[in-house]
Amino acid sequence: MNILNLVKIAYQALLRNTTRALLTMLGIIIGISSVIAMVNLGQSSQQSISDNISSMGTNLIMVMRARNVKGGGGVNTGASNVQSLTVDDVEAVRKYAKYVSAISPSVTASGQLVKGANNMPGTMQGGSPEFLEIKKYELESGVNFRDEDVRTYAKVCLIGQTVVSTLFPNEEPIGKEIRFGKIPLKVIGTLKSKGQDGRGQDQDDIVIAPYSTVQKRILAQNHLQMIYASASSEDVADLATQEIERIIRRQHGLSDDQSNDFDVRTQAEMLEMMSSVTETMTALLTATAIISLIVGGIGIMNIMYVTVTERIKEIGLRMAIGAKSRDVLWQFLIESAILSLVGGIIGIILGLVLSYFIAMFTNMPYVVSVGAVIASFVVSAFIGIFFGWLPARKAAKLDPITALRYE
């Protein structure tokens, strides 16, 4: 008996029990769609993080205070006294660094923003005039603050579009005042929208002011929380990082056996770290989805055993009129493979649709993993053959006379 006839027989047998066939395929459908959705979601998340980090420039360098500091002899001194970043560090880097094109101090404060009857919780970011260039913010209207504003602790600010829409829903904000806590600030510019970053934070919910204003008038402190810098180009980002580290170590008077009391990180390192996290989460979620695939395969095996038992007389009759054991084996293997492949195809389509809607509702790019689609199709075929083998083998080994007498 040729393969085409066996496919027709298997197809007709499945049509006689459509409901059972659909329920049998359900485990495969859920498993395949889950795998497709999880892999696509992981790649979408990774792409979103990559796009957001790249939008800030891979030549961005961040200097922050160290969490733990080791002194001479490797003794951990903790982080309680590590408030070491100062404006002097910024000026030293600006003066001596060859591979740094722009640098800005950074201090941050949280508080309530108020304009008339409108108010909202907000973040005040202090920086120098270069802060916008380094963090890739652009002016929508108005002007940036100047070095003179930094020197005089001027009470001026730039606001993001989230702040604009909340505090100034029906008016032009330029020239108006907002209050951050008890400090009045004049709005001199608005920023173009940047949307969410890779961590899902709203980059437009921001107020930017001269760092000296935030430092002295709001936080009443002398140290900096961070320093942002831009390398001259992506090609020299590593050289700029080494240069910054060397200059700040010299500024802090650290000896060779002392570890840094600050950390220097690049966007490339951040991207690598975030990618590693998303890959791990994707692997865990995919492993969970694969379990449902195995369950679906076991479901196919159980149903094929039931099918063999129900059709023992039919098998005996076929063998009595000349069908060979291998024909019976192939017949039930093909039935199992059809169940698995059809379930796999439906699962792939459902997984693609599901991942599309997840990406749409989470504002992430829609990424399709072609490898996952091909692998899912191959795996569904393998599951049909693997889990259908034992029931098919049982059917092929039946004695025709015993099968014909079966009640």
Side-chain angles (χ1 to χ4, degrees), residues 80-136:
S80 58
N81 296 319
V82 185
Q83 306 288 357
S84 56
L85 297 177
T86 66
V87 177
D88 289 339
D89 298 330
V90 176
E91 295 304 324
V93 173
R94 183 178 280 126
K95 182 177 180 180
Y96 297 112
K98 298 178 182 178
Y99 300 107
V100 174
S101 60
I103 188 167
S104 171
S106 175
V107 285
T108 306
S110 298
Q112 198 72 10
L113 294 166
V114 180
K115 170 60 174 73
N118 301 321
N119 66 89
M120 63 180 290
T123 300
M124 174 75 73
Q125 176 71 62
S128 67
E130 296 93 342
F131 183 84
L132 269 64
E133 173 193 346
I134 295 170
K135 294 298 294 288
K136 305 299 182 184

Side-chain angles (χ1 to χ4, degrees), residues 132-206:
L132 269 64
E133 173 193 346
I134 295 170
K135 294 298 294 288
K136 305 299 182 184
Y137 278 104
E138 296 181 18
L139 285 170
E140 176 78 23
S141 61
V143 296
N144 192 8
F145 53 85
R146 304 162 301 167
D147 290 328
E148 177 65 23
D149 296 321
V150 173
R151 285 193 295 269
T152 59
Y153 317 143
K155 291 184 282 187
V156 296
C157 68
L158 313 172
I159 58 176
Q161 290 301 315
T162 299
V163 180
V164 172
S165 60
T166 304
L167 299 185
F168 300 92
N170 301 308
E171 59 180 315
E172 170 60 42
I174 303 298
K176 305 293 194 312
E177 277 193 355
I178 62 174
R179 197 171 71 252
F180 186 83
K182 297 180 179 180
I183 307 298
L185 299 166
K186 181 181 178 182
V187 178
I188 60 172
T190 62
L191 305 170
K192 289 184 179 179
S193 178
K194 288 188 69 174
Q196 293 184 338
D197 63 12
R199 297 170 295 177
Q201 295 181 343
D202 183 5
Q203 297 182 93
D204 300 321
D205 183 9
I206 189 171

Side-chain angles (χ1 to χ4, degrees), residues 15-32:
L15 282 182
R16 287 198 298 268
N17 294 284
T18 307
T19 303
R20 177 193 290 178
L22 290 173
L23 291 174
T24 304
M25 289 188 294
L26 192 59
I28 299 296
I29 292 171
I30 293 173
I32 291 291

Side-chain angles (χ1 to χ4, degrees), residues 315-328:
I315 294 167
L317 181 60
R318 288 184 185 280
M319 297 180 79
I321 61 176
K324 297 178 181 179
S325 294
R326 68 170 178 270
D327 295 327
V328 176

Side-chain angles (χ1 to χ4, degrees), residues 191-263:
L191 305 170
K192 289 184 179 179
S193 178
K194 288 188 69 174
Q196 293 184 338
D197 63 12
R199 297 170 295 177
Q201 295 181 343
D202 183 5
Q203 297 182 93
D204 300 321
D205 183 9
I206 189 171
V207 177
I208 302 176
Y211 71 86
S212 58
T213 304
V214 180
Q215 214 179 17
K216 304 297 183 181
R217 296 184 184 274
I218 298 174
L219 296 175
Q221 65 184 35
N222 292 318
H223 65 271
L224 304 175
Q225 294 161 344
M226 290 184 69
I227 297 172
Y228 288 107
S230 284
S232 302
S233 68
E234 293 181 17
D235 297 335
V236 298
D238 289 339
L239 291 174
T241 301
Q242 296 168 15
E243 197 173 46
I244 289 171
E245 182 177 359
R246 186 169 60 251
I247 292 170
I248 297 181
R249 279 186 64 87
R250 186 169 66 239
Q251 277 291 115
H252 293 184
L254 298 174
S255 60
D256 292 339
D257 63 342
Q258 288 181 299
S259 62
N260 292 341
D261 56 358
F262 58 93
D263 290 327

